[in-house]
Structures are given as C-alpha cells and as structure tokens.
Amino acid sequence: MHRKENMPDLVYIGLLGINSKATAYVYLAIAAFVGLSSIYMGFSKPTYLWSVLMFLASLWYYYCMNWVDNNSNWDN
C-alpha cells in the first residue's frame, strides 16, 4: 500500500506490503483463527497462550482496514 498524506503510522505499518482489501481480509482471517484457536489450546497447554497476540493482530488489521475504507482508498 502506498502511503497517503493523512495516513497514521499505525495504519501504514499494519498494511505494509498489502495492496488489496481481499489480501487484508485473508491476513485478518488467519490472525483471528490462530488467535482464537490458541485461546482454546491454552486451556490444555499454557505454552500456547503467547499466540493470543495473533488475535490482537487481527484487531489491528480490522482497525487498519476500517481506516482505509473511511479515509482513503485501496490501491487497486
């Protein structure tokens, strides 16, 4: 994604290398799946709980996609 003049750093870093909304949805789905499944697995093996950070990454992708939808446009 090309940086727009009013794009915050958090959004730019979150979408670095992502050029389309479809690709961003794939990253969002993978991060949400890994995050939610690690919460489930964390009940039996606490070492999986560090992967919950992937769920936070899915929230970050959602925030970035929402910002681009409301304030800018996708490259293609």
Side-chain angles (χ1 to χ4, degrees), residues 35-52:
L36 291 174
S37 63
S38 67
I39 291 171
Y40 174 74
M41 291 296 293
F43 289 117
S44 62
K45 296 181 181 177
T47 55
Y48 283 102
L49 284 177
W50 68 270
S51 302
V52 172

Side-chain angles (χ1 to χ4, degrees), residues 23-39:
T23 306
Y25 271 124
V26 170
Y27 282 114
L28 174 83
I30 291 171
F33 176 75
V34 170
L36 291 174
S37 63
S38 67
I39 291 171

Side-chain angles (χ1 to χ4, degrees), residues 5-35:
E5 64 277 350
N6 61 344
M7 184 179 284
D9 292 336
L10 185 68
V11 173
Y12 177 69
I13 292 170
L15 296 176
L16 194 63
I18 299 174
N19 293 324
S20 69
K21 191 172 184 177
T23 306
Y25 271 124
V26 170
Y27 282 114
L28 174 83
I30 291 171
F33 176 75
V34 170

